[in-house]
């Protein structure tokens, strides 16, 4: 369904590819303008050229608060306003808690939690002026942890909690806040993880519905844009991911633990061996410091 974003400006982090680039294209197609923020200048420039005068880009690392502030302020000056913020930049790392390098774990948390904080912090003054809307891209992993992705699980649960606290803090300013929970999206992170780690693919196939499917980028973009238009408090991608939210307590209960334990007993040793063989804790190409969902 098309929505009119005429006269509106969206700022998107992690905008060079995948979900971020798709939302940028969709937002402009529906009448809006976009500020593209990320760490791949060639791809950002190419996307901005494709979208024409309705787009501009700024290179910024969400781990750098001063750079994030400079990019957001510059975008607001360039376009005259910011109505929507999509805090989309995020990464994942491979490896269990006992195995993963400290710096790899910390990097995931810094980008996926602290990067969202910095984006929201510096976006707030501009959103307050327009009574705008911020959407934080968390994950289905906010509800259900998966062995071997502890850094990602922890960071996405943290991103959800951060967004929910922020929602209360800015309500009196007229700013609305939503949390987006994609499941497995057909982008770099899923394709490369399945290539690098056969055990990851096998584990995904054994997960209960709705955690065992893959969603296209196009469907993800459509749902995010609908979330923008309706200023939704939750955007589930696909919609059935909402079941994971409502059944979170059950999935983490003693009743389900024996099943999870049996799965983990088979897959964790294999996954650790595969990560050791790779000799790295992320896939071979890490765009935007960010392969997202």
């Amino acid at each position: 369904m098309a929505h009119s974003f005429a006269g509106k400006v969206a700022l998107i982090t992690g905008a060079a590819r995948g979900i971020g680039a798709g939302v940028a294209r969709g937002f402009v197609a529906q009448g809006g303008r976009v500020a593209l923020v990320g760490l791949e200048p060639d791809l950002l420039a190419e996307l901005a050229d494709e979208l024409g005068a309705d787009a501009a880009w700024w290179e910024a690392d969400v781990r750098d608060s001063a750079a994030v502030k400079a990019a957001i302020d510059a975008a607001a000056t360039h376009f005259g306003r910011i109505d929507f913020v999509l805090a989309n930049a995020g990464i994942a790392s491979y490896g269990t808690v006992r195995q993963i390098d400290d710096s790899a774990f910390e990097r995931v948390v810094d980008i996926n939690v602290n990067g969202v904080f910095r984006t929201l912090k510096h976006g707030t003054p501009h959103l307050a002026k327009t009574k705008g809307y911020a959407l934080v891209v968390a994950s289905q992993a906010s509800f259900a942890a998966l062995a071997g992705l502890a850094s990602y699980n922890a960071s996405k649960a943290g991103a959800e909690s951060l967004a929910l606290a922020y929602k209360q803090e800015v309500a009196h300013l007229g700013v609305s806040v939503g949390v987006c929970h994609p499941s497995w999206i057909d982008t770099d992170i899923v394709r490369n993880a399945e290539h690098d780690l056969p055990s990851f693919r096998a584990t995904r196939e054994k997960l209960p519905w709705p955690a065992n499917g893959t969603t296209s980028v196009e469907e993800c973009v459509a749902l995010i844009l609908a979330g923008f238009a309706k200023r939704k408090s939750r955007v589930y991608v696909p919609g059935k991911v909402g079941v994971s939210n409502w059944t979170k307590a059950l999935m983490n209960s003693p009743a389900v633990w024996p099943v999870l334990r049996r799965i983990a007993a088979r897959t964790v040793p294999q996954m650790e061996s595969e990560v050791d063989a790779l000799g790295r804790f992320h896939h071979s190409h890490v765009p935007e410091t960010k392969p997202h969902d």
Side-chain angles (χ1 to χ4, degrees):
M1 181 180 295
H3 310 282
S4 176
F5 296 115
K8 304 298 184 181
V9 176
L11 183 136
I12 302 168
T13 65
R17 63 174 73 228
I19 295 171
V23 171
R25 290 186 177 99
F27 194 83
V28 169
Q30 296 178 34
R33 296 176 292 166
V34 289
L36 311 171
V37 178
L39 277 180
E40 293 179 282
D42 291 344
L43 290 180
L44 290 168
E46 182 180 333
L47 179 58
D49 287 344
E50 173 191 332
L51 298 177
D54 292 322
W57 66 275
W58 289 266
E59 183 177 0
D61 188 339
V62 295
R63 293 176 291 178
D64 183 338
S65 189
V68 172
K69 183 179 188 304
I72 292 175
D73 289 349
T77 298
H78 178 83
F79 288 112
R81 61 189 296 132
I82 294 175
D83 301 277
F84 298 93
V85 167
L86 182 66
N88 170 65
I91 64 167
S93 287
Y94 306 151
T96 60
V97 168
R98 69 172 181 169
Q99 177 186 44
I100 191 171
D101 182 75
D102 288 16
S103 62
F105 190 101
E106 291 161 1
R107 183 164 171 260
V108 172
V109 173
D110 195 17
I111 292 168
N112 293 5
V113 180
N114 299 341
V116 170
F117 155 71
R118 296 175 188 116
T119 302
L120 296 176
K121 176 182 176 69
H122 299 305
T124 300
H126 306 290
L127 291 175
K129 291 178 182 177
T130 60
K131 309 299 182 186
Y133 172 78
L135 184 63
V136 171
V137 179
S139 173
Q140 185 172 10
S142 303
F143 311 132
L146 186 63
L149 291 173
S151 58
Y152 186 76
N153 295 145
S155 66
K156 289 304 184 178
E160 180 197 24
S161 291
L162 171 59
L164 294 176
Y166 175 72
K167 179 178 181 176
Q168 299 174 47
E169 295 171 356
V170 297
H172 72 286
L173 301 175
V175 177
S176 301
V177 179
V179 192
C180 180
H181 296 280
S183 181
W184 308 107
I185 308 301
D186 187 24
T187 54
D188 291 333
I189 189 171
V190 173
R191 290 192 296 269
N192 287 300
E194 289 193 339
H195 176 268
D196 288 340
L197 306 173
S199 60
F200 172 76
R201 181 174 62 253
T203 299
R204 279 224 307 138
E205 292 171 352
K206 293 182 177 68
L207 292 174
W209 180 92
N212 55 2
T214 301
T215 302
S216 70
V217 173
E218 291 75 16
E219 182 177 352
C220 180
V221 167
L223 290 169
I224 287 175
L225 291 175
F228 274 15
K230 298 177 182 178
R231 298 167 72 101
K232 287 188 173 183
S233 59
R234 298 277 185 174
V235 177
Y236 299 115
V237 183
K240 61 189 178 184
V241 168
V243 174
S244 297
N245 189 2
W246 297 110
T247 60
K248 179 179 178 180
L250 173 63
M251 292 305 297
N252 292 290
S253 71
V256 175
W257 169 239
V259 176
L260 295 178
R261 183 175 182 174
R262 284 196 298 272
I263 294 173
R266 292 193 299 268
T267 59
V268 167
Q270 181 184 349
M271 182 179 291
E272 288 182 328
S273 296
E274 290 167 355
V275 173
D276 283 341
L278 282 173
R280 51 184 165 83
F281 299 106
H282 53 77
H283 68 66
S284 57
H285 176 59
V286 185
E288 295 285 346
T289 67
K290 159 202 187 292
H292 207 282
D293 290 278

